[in-house]
Amino acid sequence: MSSILLPALLTGLLLSFITAPLGAFVVWRKMAYFGDTLSHSAIFGVALGFFFNVNPYLAILILTLLLAVIMVLLESHTQFSVDTLLGIIAHSCLSLGIVTVALLHNVRVDLMAYLFGDLLAMDYTDVYIVGGGVLGVLLVLWGYWKPMLSMTVSPELAQVEGVNVQKMRLILMLLTAFTIALSMKFVGALIITALLIIPSACARRFARSPKQMVFIAVIFSMLSVCLGLLLSAFYDTPTGPSVVIGAAMLFVLSCFKKAVN
C-alpha cells in the first residue's frame, strides 16, 4: 500500500506549491472558466497523442500551451466576449477529443484515467518530472510575482508603471496551462480546476495579504491531498475526485470563519 500511495502523496504535495499561487491568480482574476477550457481541451490532447503515436501527456502539454497562446491573442483581437470564446473552445475540443477516440479502432483508451486521474499509474519517475516542473514554475512566479500582481490588481495602473500587461497575461496563462498538463495524471482533466480554485477560496477567508493567501492556500491544498488519498486508500475511491471532496470539505469548514476585514 505504501509503495502505491507514497509516489501519489509526494506528487500531490509538490503540485500544491504551484496550484496554490496560480489558483490565487485564478480567483483574483476570475479565470475559472479559462482553467475549465484548458482541462476540457486536454481530452483532445489525449486523442491526438494516440493518433500520432506520442505520449498522451506530452500531447496534452503542447496542446494546452498552444491554446493558452491562442486565447490570449483572441482576447485582444476579437469582438466576442472572453467567456463566449472559452465556451466555444472548451466544448469544441472536448467533442473533438471524444470523437477522435471513438475513431481509433485499433487503440483501447481508458478515458476514465485521464478524466479523473489514476493513482495506480503514479511512480517515482512522475515524482521527479513533477518536481522539475514545479521548480520551473516557482522560479518564473518568483521572478514575475510583482508585475503579475500589479497587473491583476489594476491593469491600467500597471501599464502606467511600465509593466507589459500583455506579456504578464501570457505568462500567467502559460503557467496555468503547464500546471494543468502537469497535474492531469494525478487529478484528471475534469476536476483539475477545482484543485486550483477551492484551496485558494478557502485561504481567502483567512488571509490579510496576497502572499499570506498563497501560503495558506498551499496548506489547504496539501491537506486536501492528504484527505483525498486517505479516502481513496480506505474506501477504494477514485483519487482525483477524492482530493476534490477533501478540498470541498475544507471549504465548507472555512465558511464558518468570518471573512477577514
Side-chain angles (χ1 to χ4, degrees), residues 1 25 30 36 46 48 58 62 71 102 108 115 134 164 168 185-186 235:
M1 181 65 70
F25 280 107
K30 300 178 181 178
D36 278 335
V46 172
L48 289 177
L58 178 61
I62 295 172
M71 282 187 276
R108 182 180 177 86
L115 291 173
V134 168
N164 188 331
M168 291 302 106
K185 196 171 184 179
F186 180 74
Y235 297 100

Side-chain angles (χ1 to χ4, degrees), residues 2-17 119 122-131 134 186 222 225-226 229:
S2 61
S3 63
I4 297 174
L5 288 178
L6 188 56
L9 176 62
L10 293 174
T11 302
L13 295 179
L14 283 171
L15 287 171
S16 297
F17 285 105
L119 171 66
M122 305 301 299
D123 54 32
Y124 287 103
T125 302
D126 294 311
V127 176
Y128 297 137
I129 293 173
V130 169
V134 168
F186 180 74
M222 288 182 169
V225 170
C226 293
L229 288 178

Side-chain angles (χ1 to χ4, degrees), residues 19 23-24 26-27 31-33 36 192-202:
T19 55
V26 169
V27 170
M31 289 170 52
Y33 206 1
D36 278 335
I192 174 56
T193 312
L195 195 61
L196 287 168
I197 296 172
I198 299 178
S200 296
C202 294

Side-chain angles (χ1 to χ4, degrees), residues 71-90:
M71 282 187 276
V72 171
L73 294 175
L74 287 176
E75 187 178 353
S76 305
H77 299 88
T78 183
Q79 60 182 349
F80 295 105
S81 62
V82 176
D83 61 336
T84 300
L85 292 172
L86 293 177
I88 293 171
I89 294 172

